[in-house]
Amino acid sequence: MPSGTESGGPGNNKSGAKSAKAIKAAQKRSGGSKARGAKQPRQIPWLTVAAVAAVAVLVAVLAINIFPKYQAKEEAAKYAPSAETPDPSDNIEGVTKTEYPAGIHIQPTQRVAYDQAPPFGGPHDGIWATCTGTVYDQAIRTESAVHSLEHGAVWIAYDPDRVSGDDLSTLSDKVDGEAYTLMSPYPGLDTPVALQSWGHQLKVDSADDERIDQFITALRLNQNTYPEIGASCSSIPGSGFDPDNPPPFDPSAPGPDAVPMDGHGIAPDPSETAGGGAAGGLPPGMELPPGMELPSDLQQAPAGGAELPADGGQVPPEGQ
């Protein structure tokens, strides 16, 4: 009988099993084939994550920048004039009110002994400062700015030593392109910002003060508070006031020959008295000197008459 173990015996089965185990162990170590049905690693959708993050940032930016402005506008709208509240500025804390006679015009070489700085009424230059949403980067002749107030404009003045950068942009955004407004530096101003309309003034310490919007809403073109209804805010070519090169601000004190606040010796312009200019398409309170024609865009229409455009059109200056 032969000695040893046959090839198909138990010993051979053991060594085959060991070999199979060794092969499997080697496959695991070397990252061999995955078990059948094993799940693949989950991929992170980075593009989707980035898109969602971008939308979230956009929403946050809108919430921070747009919504507060909308909210401020809605709040300011409460100060719009109405039959019940003809002068809403009465409800704005800090507004100063003074009565001034209208239509007292001085010559371009004269000064006025104003009792307020900036002034917000009284005698003024016969030529108004352009106030069609005009932002001046230099100080302008005070007497011209006061005439703009008589036409229903709001004038924002600011101290150039204390207002700059974002604060200056905040103020400019309230004026730029907004009819019947103007803005200019006012050296030596006792507060950072001052707002003027005819007979009204508000001084504030911050460009973000909510009362600025309230004042503009209440008094810009408020027909209950200014004398020359329907007057223009546009530039008149050749009038002596060029918005690109305006008459400069004079920081010196008015001399002894300055016109007093009561306009002593100066007769009010009759074209600014009630009923003075109803003919020819002009509203009451405005008339043209003999020989001067109203620009064609303001002349009375054949059927029913024409209204002044939103910015008052270009009406020749009073007294010319």
Side-chain angles (χ1 to χ4, degrees):
M1 188 174 203
S3 62
T5 305
E6 293 184 2
S7 59
N12 192 49
N13 288 340
K14 290 181 180 179
S15 47
K18 291 180 180 179
S19 298
K21 290 181 179 179
I23 291 172
K24 289 182 179 180
Q27 287 178 340
K28 289 182 179 180
R29 288 194 299 271
S30 61
S33 59
K34 305 292 182 181
R36 186 175 181 180
K39 293 183 179 179
Q40 297 292 327
R42 186 174 182 179
Q43 298 293 324
I44 299 176
W46 292 112
L47 289 177
T48 301
V49 172
V52 171
V55 171
V57 170
L58 179 60
V59 170
V61 169
L62 292 175
I64 293 172
N65 295 285
I66 304 301
F67 182 72
K69 292 181 180 179
Y70 171 79
Q71 198 172 31
K73 186 175 181 179
E74 288 294 303
E75 183 64 26
K78 299 177 182 178
Y79 291 84
S82 64
E84 295 76 18
T85 312
D87 185 358
S89 72
D90 291 337
N91 300 321
I92 302 174
E93 183 181 357
V95 172
T96 298
K97 295 178 63 173
T98 304
E99 293 287 338
Y100 291 109
I104 301 178
H105 295 159
I106 67 169
Q107 298 301 314
T109 56
Q110 292 181 294
R111 300 281 303 281
V112 176
Y114 287 119
D115 57 358
Q116 303 286 341
F120 50 98
H124 48 268
D125 199 299
I127 310 301
W128 61 87
T130 303
C131 44
T132 52
T134 313
V135 177
Y136 296 95
D137 58 5
Q138 57 187 309
I140 64 175
R141 175 166 161 80
T142 301
E143 288 81 358
S144 297
V146 172
H147 194 157
S148 300
L149 307 183
E150 191 181 53
H151 288 198
V154 169
W155 172 29
I156 297 182
Y158 65 93
D159 180 1
D161 292 332
R162 288 186 282 180
V163 177
S164 60
D166 291 343
D167 290 338
L168 187 59
S169 297
T170 296
L171 294 176
S172 298
D173 288 345
K174 299 178 187 300
V175 173
D176 190 18
E178 186 71 34
Y180 287 88
T181 62
L182 70 158
M183 171 177 157
S184 67
Y186 194 93
L189 186 60
D190 58 356
T191 56
V193 182
L195 291 91
Q196 289 69 227
S197 72
W198 185 264
H200 298 72
Q201 185 176 67
L202 173 66
K203 293 186 174 182
V204 298
D205 294 327
S206 170
D208 295 319
D209 195 306
E210 62 181 6
R211 292 174 294 169
I212 295 176
D213 289 336
Q214 295 170 4
F215 186 95
I216 295 172
T217 301
L219 296 168
R220 185 182 73 92
L221 283 178
N222 182 341
Q223 298 190 15
N224 305 297
T225 60
Y226 70 98
E228 200 172 354
I229 308 300
S232 173
C233 248
S234 299
S235 301
I236 307 299
S239 67
F241 191 96
D242 180 359
D244 295 324
N245 186 27
F249 173 80
D250 190 342
S252 64
D257 59 344
V259 175
M261 284 299 293
D262 62 2
H264 180 72
I266 301 177
D269 190 329
S271 69
E272 297 183 10
T273 59
L282 281 171
M286 297 181 66
E287 65 180 8
L288 295 175
M292 183 171 287
E293 293 185 357
L294 188 67
S296 59
D297 60 335
L298 297 183
Q299 290 180 0
Q300 192 171 28
E307 295 183 355
L308 287 172
D311 68 348
Q314 292 192 358
V315 180
E318 298 88 336
Q320 288 196 357

